[in-house]
Amino acid sequence: MSSIKTLKPLASWQELRATPKDWDAASPIKLGSMLTCLHLIRAFEKATLDCATKGLVHGPVHSSIGQEGGAVGSILALKKGDKVNGSHRGHHQFLAKALSHVSPGGLVPTAPVPADVYAVLKKTLAEIMGLAQGYCKGRGGSMHLRWEDAGMLGTNAIVGGGTPMAAGVAWCNKRAGTDNVVVNYFGDGAANIGSVLETFNLAAAWKLPVCFFIENNHYAVSTAVAEVTGDSRLSGRGPGFNIPAWRVDGMDPLAVFLAMEEALAHMRNAKGPTLIEAEVYRETHHSGPMPGSAFRYRSKEEESLWKARDPLEQMEKEMLARKLITEEEIASLQRQAQDAMHHVIAELTEKNGPSFAIKADLWPKPDFCNFGIRGNLSEMEGLRTEELRDYEGKLREMKLVEAAAGVMLRRMETDERIVVMGEDVHRLGGGTNGVTKGIPERFPDRILGTPISENAFVGLGGGMAMDGRFRPVVELMYADFFWVAADQVFNQVAKARHMYGGDLEMPFVLRTKIAIGTGYGSQHSMDPAGVFAMSPGLRIVAPSTPFDYIGLMNSALACNDPVVVLEHVELYNTVGLVPEEDMDYFIPLGKAKVARSGKELTILTYLSMVKKSVEVAESLGIDAEVIDLRTLDRAGLDWDTIGASIQKTNNVLIVEQGTLGNSYGTMLGDEIQRRYMDWLDQPVKRVHGAEAWPSVSKVLEAAANAGQEEIKRELLAMLKDAGK
């Protein structure tokens, strides 16, 4: 007979309900503030749905009617330094935080709507309408609401997308020695997504002061939560990660408030993350004013039962019973909130025949479209730049991997904001390739070995960058792994500045290595440059020499935009000249380098193919000019250097090592054809790998990737076509 021992999770899991004694003991001022906030949000949401019905809102409107109690009850328990981020259904989250910010002493139900409260309502609706007066200048709309001053980090249209970033801000709070917390709001659908569960684990391992707040409204669009998970009590996920959890009636704002107070005590005492599941109910369908029953995935009877538990009516009932407010005062509060929204709409619209339209002068100007995709690099002004050919100091030889480790260590010495993270970066004498050598010994608290959870730690780095107090350097062990973290790389980090209005800085460095030629097969051997280049919010550098690595990494670390630093395994042990005692110079982003001068033909290339191209040209005796692009993003291409070479040689060959499908040369070749068609003696030619991904087989791997033979063959063919 087997011996069986019942195991219990280390963390607690509790259900909390407010009692009459809790209501008796509650602060009348706090209850009045909650009720006022609830009515303002309800009036706002009804007015927004009315605007959507009239065609005044372009895009979806995810109403929070019925769910206000969760946001109001939890946010009114916070203090000024606490921050929140939210979900696509986040109007109530945003408004509760914004209204708390402008009314630090609380809202009074019997007072007129204050001017600063009215301003919040107007600016929020302007954003949802897509107007220049909105918090994100019309870019965010209903699903991307951010107001940094109020501690609202941003609502997020990607389910679970904001969770890793909330953990990043929580890390900053902990590192800075404050007791401030972050609350991350998401729905029942997000409770099953990988980025959320990965972040649970990471936050618990690092004891981060973040509250994961699940608004369980029981439906992900039309799919009931019980259909898609084994236990619809979603707070049960917390103890599985050693996170204490509370389950609470989200239709009771006081119960939510009390649960949040308990969670805050845990987090402010440096005990790590918490989880609250608030059971709420959205009265309408996923988007728009229609009820869910109109789409037949739930019944009218179900909706009536939940509507009878409306959080506003519960608050009113309890306050009336304790004579904290009168029926007349409630009616006046409701009327004032509705009147405020009528005035807001009147200020944003005008009569247009039988209907209303947005006032024409409130729309953003079309030329604002591209503003803020990236910064203007003003932070780079005045920095000392160097090129090896012009360097006047003493030089010595160094391997590229040593230069990489040396410059990172140097910058961490001079800038205490820099934090390095990634898998195994704190072990193995410098990570898997030695690039972080020396950092664990010098700065053990600023090099973070992460779990194997790329979506979580890349997003956590994004949250750190958005916070602004630290400058994260995130390592993906292999370039292919960016696919695992694609949402955080492309939807979050790359888009944040533009999406939230164009002013947000994102000082984020993503290091990764290209392992072509190492025998690691299809899932560890890609060149990602072509994929990264499709995202305009990312800057990309590709250093091919130790000297360039130092200068480009310094620029990446100084830049206030996200920068991808591509490294090639083949180059790590190559030796080149570097300054003897100088790792403080910069190479400007957007500056290519002529690696070999020539007049017959221009070769555009990067990383390991620079040296290969030079060697082939010299072995054939071809007067080819080889340009090391160094900066690969579209905005950073050095058209002065590229154009001067093309106008001299009239022939262009783009050389890259990787496979055809995600080729970088596709974009570059198209751009050259558009810009320099009249200067070309023949179409732009390209060297690239095969269509197939590299295989483990040494022979098949070589066949999948381009090398010197392919360069030689194309060069000779081009000269023949040019009659040379």
Side-chain angles (χ1 to χ4, degrees), residues 109-110 320 325-335:
T110 55
L320 285 167
I325 200 166
T326 66
E327 294 279 6
E328 292 76 16
E329 288 170 337
I330 290 172
S332 175
L333 170 61
Q334 183 181 49
R335 184 171 57 254

mmCIF file of all heavy atoms in Angstrom, residues 109-110 320 325-335:
data_model
loop_
_atom_site.group_PDB
_atom_site.id
_atom_site.type_symbol
_atom_site.label_atom_id
_atom_site.label_comp_id
_atom_site.label_asym_id
_atom_site.label_seq_id
_atom_site.Cartn_x
_atom_site.Cartn_y
_atom_site.Cartn_z
ATOM 1 N N PRO A 109 -20.386 63.478 -2.890
ATOM 2 C CA PRO A 109 -21.589 63.236 -3.704
ATOM 3 C C PRO A 109 -22.555 64.407 -3.753
ATOM 4 O O PRO A 109 -23.342 64.525 -4.705
ATOM 5 C CB PRO A 109 -22.226 62.019 -3.023
ATOM 6 C CG PRO A 109 -21.657 61.976 -1.643
ATOM 7 C CD PRO A 109 -20.285 62.543 -1.760
ATOM 8 N N THR A 110 -22.513 65.274 -2.778
ATOM 9 C CA THR A 110 -23.464 66.400 -2.752
ATOM 10 C C THR A 110 -22.895 67.672 -3.368
ATOM 11 O O THR A 110 -23.594 68.696 -3.428
ATOM 12 C CB THR A 110 -23.877 66.693 -1.301
ATOM 13 O OG1 THR A 110 -22.699 66.925 -0.520
ATOM 14 C CG2 THR A 110 -24.656 65.511 -0.716
ATOM 15 N N LEU A 320 -27.943 54.530 2.134
ATOM 16 C CA LEU A 320 -29.267 54.982 2.569
ATOM 17 C C LEU A 320 -29.635 54.371 3.913
ATOM 18 O O LEU A 320 -30.175 55.054 4.802
ATOM 19 C CB LEU A 320 -30.324 54.611 1.524
ATOM 20 C CG LEU A 320 -30.350 55.459 0.250
ATOM 21 C CD1 LEU A 320 -31.210 54.787 -0.806
ATOM 22 C CD2 LEU A 320 -30.880 56.866 0.560
ATOM 23 N N ILE A 325 -26.685 59.305 3.031
ATOM 24 C CA ILE A 325 -27.126 60.034 1.847
ATOM 25 C C ILE A 325 -28.633 59.900 1.738
ATOM 26 O O ILE A 325 -29.226 58.978 2.325
ATOM 27 C CB ILE A 325 -26.419 59.493 0.576
ATOM 28 C CG1 ILE A 325 -26.464 60.521 -0.557
ATOM 29 C CG2 ILE A 325 -26.993 58.143 0.144
ATOM 30 C CD1 ILE A 325 -25.510 60.193 -1.696
ATOM 31 N N THR A 326 -29.265 60.802 1.012
ATOM 32 C CA THR A 326 -30.718 60.738 0.829
ATOM 33 C C THR A 326 -31.045 60.393 -0.617
ATOM 34 O O THR A 326 -30.195 60.486 -1.506
ATOM 35 C CB THR A 326 -31.370 62.084 1.179
ATOM 36 O OG1 THR A 326 -30.937 63.069 0.224
ATOM 37 C CG2 THR A 326 -30.981 62.532 2.588
ATOM 38 N N GLU A 327 -32.287 59.983 -0.844
ATOM 39 C CA GLU A 327 -32.739 59.676 -2.207
ATOM 40 C C GLU A 327 -32.579 60.902 -3.104
ATOM 41 O O GLU A 327 -32.180 60.797 -4.272
ATOM 42 C CB GLU A 327 -34.199 59.232 -2.199
ATOM 43 C CG GLU A 327 -34.477 57.913 -1.504
ATOM 44 C CD GLU A 327 -34.174 56.711 -2.392
ATOM 45 O OE1 GLU A 327 -33.633 56.913 -3.509
ATOM 46 O OE2 GLU A 327 -34.453 55.583 -1.952
ATOM 47 N N GLU A 328 -32.901 62.079 -2.541
ATOM 48 C CA GLU A 328 -32.805 63.305 -3.329
ATOM 49 C C GLU A 328 -31.353 63.596 -3.709
ATOM 50 O O GLU A 328 -31.061 64.044 -4.831
ATOM 51 C CB GLU A 328 -33.381 64.483 -2.536
ATOM 52 C CG GLU A 328 -34.879 64.426 -2.308
ATOM 53 C CD GLU A 328 -35.279 63.419 -1.231
ATOM 54 O OE1 GLU A 328 -34.388 62.985 -0.452
ATOM 55 O OE2 GLU A 328 -36.466 63.042 -1.190
ATOM 56 N N GLU A 329 -30.438 63.342 -2.778
ATOM 57 C CA GLU A 329 -29.018 63.586 -3.063
ATOM 58 C C GLU A 329 -28.489 62.604 -4.112
ATOM 59 O O GLU A 329 -27.674 62.971 -4.955
ATOM 60 C CB GLU A 329 -28.214 63.483 -1.767
ATOM 61 C CG GLU A 329 -28.459 64.677 -0.842
ATOM 62 C CD GLU A 329 -27.871 64.463 0.539
ATOM 63 O OE1 GLU A 329 -27.665 63.284 0.935
ATOM 64 O OE2 GLU A 329 -27.618 65.467 1.243
ATOM 65 N N ILE A 330 -28.977 61.362 -4.068
ATOM 66 C CA ILE A 330 -28.579 60.389 -5.087
ATOM 67 C C ILE A 330 -29.081 60.836 -6.454
ATOM 68 O O ILE A 330 -28.349 60.790 -7.458
ATOM 69 C CB ILE A 330 -29.120 58.982 -4.739
ATOM 70 C CG1 ILE A 330 -28.389 58.426 -3.522
ATOM 71 C CG2 ILE A 330 -28.965 58.040 -5.929
ATOM 72 C CD1 ILE A 330 -28.978 57.126 -2.995
ATOM 73 N N ALA A 331 -30.344 61.274 -6.516
ATOM 74 C CA ALA A 331 -30.907 61.729 -7.785
ATOM 75 C C ALA A 331 -30.140 62.941 -8.311
ATOM 76 O O ALA A 331 -29.880 63.056 -9.521
ATOM 77 C CB ALA A 331 -32.383 62.073 -7.607
ATOM 78 N N SER A 332 -29.759 63.842 -7.402
ATOM 79 C CA SER A 332 -28.991 65.019 -7.811
ATOM 80 C C SER A 332 -27.610 64.617 -8.320
ATOM 81 O O SER A 332 -27.123 65.156 -9.322
ATOM 82 C CB SER A 332 -28.853 65.980 -6.632
ATOM 83 O OG SER A 332 -28.026 67.079 -6.970
ATOM 84 N N LEU A 333 -26.960 63.666 -7.641
ATOM 85 C CA LEU A 333 -25.649 63.182 -8.075
ATOM 86 C C LEU A 333 -25.731 62.579 -9.470
ATOM 87 O O LEU A 333 -24.900 62.882 -10.347
ATOM 88 C CB LEU A 333 -25.127 62.151 -7.068
ATOM 89 C CG LEU A 333 -23.876 61.355 -7.477
ATOM 90 C CD1 LEU A 333 -22.692 62.280 -7.692
ATOM 91 C CD2 LEU A 333 -23.562 60.296 -6.403
ATOM 92 N N GLN A 334 -26.738 61.759 -9.670
ATOM 93 C CA GLN A 334 -26.907 61.129 -10.982
ATOM 94 C C GLN A 334 -27.154 62.180 -12.061
ATOM 95 O O GLN A 334 -26.574 62.121 -13.149
ATOM 96 C CB GLN A 334 -28.062 60.135 -10.926
ATOM 97 C CG GLN A 334 -28.282 59.363 -12.227
ATOM 98 C CD GLN A 334 -29.455 58.406 -12.114
ATOM 99 O OE1 GLN A 334 -30.542 58.800 -11.671
ATOM 100 N NE2 GLN A 334 -29.234 57.158 -12.498
ATOM 101 N N ARG A 335 -27.993 63.137 -11.751
ATOM 102 C CA ARG A 335 -28.329 64.180 -12.722
ATOM 103 C C ARG A 335 -27.098 65.034 -13.049
ATOM 104 O O ARG A 335 -26.846 65.356 -14.214
ATOM 105 C CB ARG A 335 -29.451 65.057 -12.168
ATOM 106 C CG ARG A 335 -29.946 66.122 -13.146
ATOM 107 C CD ARG A 335 -31.201 66.810 -12.636
ATOM 108 N NE ARG A 335 -30.995 67.420 -11.316
ATOM 109 C CZ ARG A 335 -31.475 66.933 -10.165
ATOM 110 N NH1 ARG A 335 -32.194 65.819 -10.165
ATOM 111 N NH2 ARG A 335 -31.238 67.552 -9.013
#
